[in-house]
Amino acid sequence: ATLRESGGDSVNSGESLRLSCVASEFTYCMGWFRQIDGKKREGIASITRQGNTDYADSVKDRFTISQDHAKKTLFLQMNNLKPEDTAMYYCAAADRSRGAWYLPGSYMYWGQGTQVIVSS
């Protein structure tokens, strides 16, 4: 699968953004990760082909992951953004169950990333 993210931008604290990820195909599980320079890549949300979702505590109640099978597009709606949400955001796809949803090693395919900057 090939993945291409878009939607990253520079916004103020409290504002919203919606990230998109166009996939060549939807797989067993799709996820969103983020990474700050020098830190580990963090799993923030995932969704299975059937629509079951998981979220990291840091984004629960603020972020929503969704998918449009017809358009082969994965979304991440991010509300009430905070400066600590500043990171490069990556879309990922797992072809089968390989481990916990929040671990980068559980995913086979990755996009190139889209930058989100939140100013206070």
Side-chain angles (χ1 to χ4, degrees):
T2 59
L3 307 170
R4 187 174 72 251
E5 307 94 334
S6 63
D9 203 348
S10 181
V11 297
N12 293 318
S13 183
E15 293 184 341
S16 298
L17 278 176
R18 188 175 80 157
L19 305 183
S20 299
C21 172
V22 178
S24 59
E25 60 181 296
F26 269 173
T27 59
Y28 166 80
C29 180
M30 307 286 291
W32 285 101
F33 285 73
R34 65 186 180 187
Q35 188 170 24
I36 301 170
D37 286 348
K39 295 193 175 182
K40 292 182 179 179
R41 193 165 291 191
E42 174 192 17
I44 57 173
S46 73
I47 187 167
T48 66
R49 187 180 285 131
Q50 294 76 22
N52 298 313
T53 59
D54 281 291
Y55 295 94
D57 288 343
S58 59
V59 305
K60 198 174 293 184
D61 299 326
R62 298 190 299 124
F63 291 10
T64 303
I65 189 171
S66 61
Q67 56 192 357
D68 184 327
H69 285 269
K71 296 182 179 180
K72 294 183 180 178
T73 303
L74 181 73
F75 300 102
L76 185 68
Q77 178 66 43
M78 306 187 295
N79 297 329
N80 190 22
L81 282 161
K82 304 175 181 181
E84 52 264 41
D85 294 318
T86 295
M88 184 71 79
Y89 284 70
Y90 297 90
C91 171
D95 59 344
R96 58 181 175 86
S97 178
R98 296 176 180 270
W101 70 267
Y102 50 85
L103 295 177
S106 299
Y107 297 80
M108 282 285 291
Y109 308 101
W110 293 87
Q112 83 289 348
T114 186
Q115 181 71 50
V116 172
I117 298 173
V118 184
S119 302
S120 59

